[in-house]
Amino acid sequence: MKLTRIKAHYFYHVLSLLIFTCYCISCRQQSSDKTPLPSSTPAKETTLLDTAAALAQADSLFMIGEQLIGQSKNGSALVFHYKALDLRIRASKKNTKLTESYFAVGRHYLEDLKYDMADQFLEKARFHGDRSEKIDPSLYIEIYLSLADCKLNLMDIPSAFSLLNKVNILIKNHFPDDKRLLSRAYRYHAAAHFNNHDYTHTIEYLERAVSVLPNSNHKALAGLYNSIGFTYRESKDYV
């Protein structure tokens, strides 16, 4: 059982090199910044807030966090994103920016492989995203993909499949011609089927991911073919 779990995680992390192009390439490096990380729960304060001022400050803090990510200073970025989230929670303003803050903090923990913490914040992001009529579809899809990634690493396969089915609907409704996004979704599906020991469907979804990518995307295609070969080896079907 332990060996099977290790193989599943190995396969999934091979796919992760492909899936998180947008967020993970620079963010998995350890930051040299030694700023202490915040606790998992935003601080509660009894002082009255100037809501408008608090939200403006939260916007500034959030932007600083985004800039620090671009500089690979992820420890400091998390602190600023967390402070922005704290202010937005205390201001009791339930809008897309609150959703974005929950996602930003959850994404940090996901990229740091702290899946239990990531799950808490990404679930909050999904909760608010589901109730928002103005959420950016791109952000909404990223929330669901990141949460599916988290569930897969926590070996919660049924939840991962449910989230990925929602992703399929969102892509069909908003980005039906985005082949790269569709390929990412197929890779997540493949990872879920692999963790479920369903190698036939794993290969099926990996081949779908290959089929929608341009031939010029050599790096992604090489990774996909590597994953297909690895799956055949695990299934003992070499013919």
Side-chain angles (χ1 to χ4, degrees):
M1 179 65 182
K2 183 177 181 181
L3 180 60
T4 301
R5 187 182 178 94
I6 290 172
K7 287 179 178 178
H9 277 291
Y10 172 78
F11 176 86
Y12 184 66
H13 286 301
V14 169
L15 288 183
S16 295
L17 294 175
L18 299 168
I19 293 171
F20 285 97
T21 301
C22 295
Y23 292 109
C24 293
I25 293 176
S26 64
C27 297
R28 288 189 184 275
Q29 302 173 355
Q30 291 292 328
S31 172
S32 60
D33 194 313
K34 301 298 182 181
T35 306
L37 295 181
S39 62
S40 61
T41 305
K44 294 182 179 179
E45 296 186 12
T46 57
T47 55
L48 294 176
L49 280 181
D50 180 334
T51 301
L55 292 175
Q57 183 182 4
D59 290 347
S60 297
L61 291 168
F62 186 88
M63 290 305 300
I64 292 172
E66 292 295 289
Q67 292 168 6
L68 289 170
I69 287 177
Q71 300 170 20
S72 298
K73 296 181 179 179
N74 303 305
S76 294
L78 173 55
V79 172
F80 281 94
H81 278 147
Y82 205 98
K83 289 180 177 178
L85 172 60
D86 187 24
L87 284 171
R88 286 169 175 171
I89 291 173
R90 289 162 52 204
S92 300
K93 189 73 172 179
K94 296 180 181 180
N95 56 17
T96 55
K97 290 185 177 180
L98 177 61
T99 304
E100 190 175 30
S101 276
Y102 273 119
F103 172 66
V105 174
R107 182 185 63 194
H108 278 291
Y109 285 121
L110 180 62
E111 291 164 356
D112 203 28
L113 310 183
K114 296 178 180 178
Y115 301 118
D116 288 329
M117 290 294 297
D119 187 64
Q120 295 178 38
F121 288 97
L122 292 172
E123 282 286 9
K124 285 283 190 179
R126 180 177 69 140
F127 175 85
H128 290 287
D130 286 345
R131 288 155 179 76
S132 174
E133 297 180 356
K134 298 181 180 180
I135 189 169
D136 181 349
S138 296
L139 172 62
Y140 201 26
I141 290 172
E142 289 298 336
I143 290 170
Y144 268 83
L145 285 175
S146 296
L147 189 53
D149 174 39
C150 189
K151 299 297 186 184
L152 285 170
N153 280 285
L154 292 171
M155 301 304 289
D156 183 356
I157 309 304
S159 293
F161 275 122
S162 177
L163 292 162
L164 291 171
N165 288 336
K166 175 71 171 183
V167 169
N168 290 343
I169 295 171
L170 291 172
I171 293 175
K172 181 179 179 179
N173 290 342
H174 298 285
F175 306 104
D177 299 322
D178 190 331
K179 303 302 183 183
R180 291 180 184 274
L181 183 58
L182 188 58
S183 181
R184 284 181 65 201
Y186 287 153
R187 291 194 288 267
Y188 275 110
H189 277 283
H193 283 294
F194 185 90
N195 284 1
N196 212 30
H197 311 293
D198 182 349
Y199 301 123
T200 299
H201 282 99
T202 300
I203 293 169
E204 176 186 332
Y205 274 97
L206 288 171
E207 290 177 341
R208 287 186 187 184
V210 168
S211 69
V212 297
L213 284 177
N215 292 331
S216 59
N217 196 336
H218 303 299
K219 184 176 181 180
L221 289 170
L224 286 167
Y225 283 121
N226 180 60
S227 295
I228 291 172
F230 181 85
T231 305
Y232 273 118
R233 189 181 72 178
E234 289 301 299
S235 68
K236 308 298 190 239
D237 185 1
Y238 302 116
V239 180

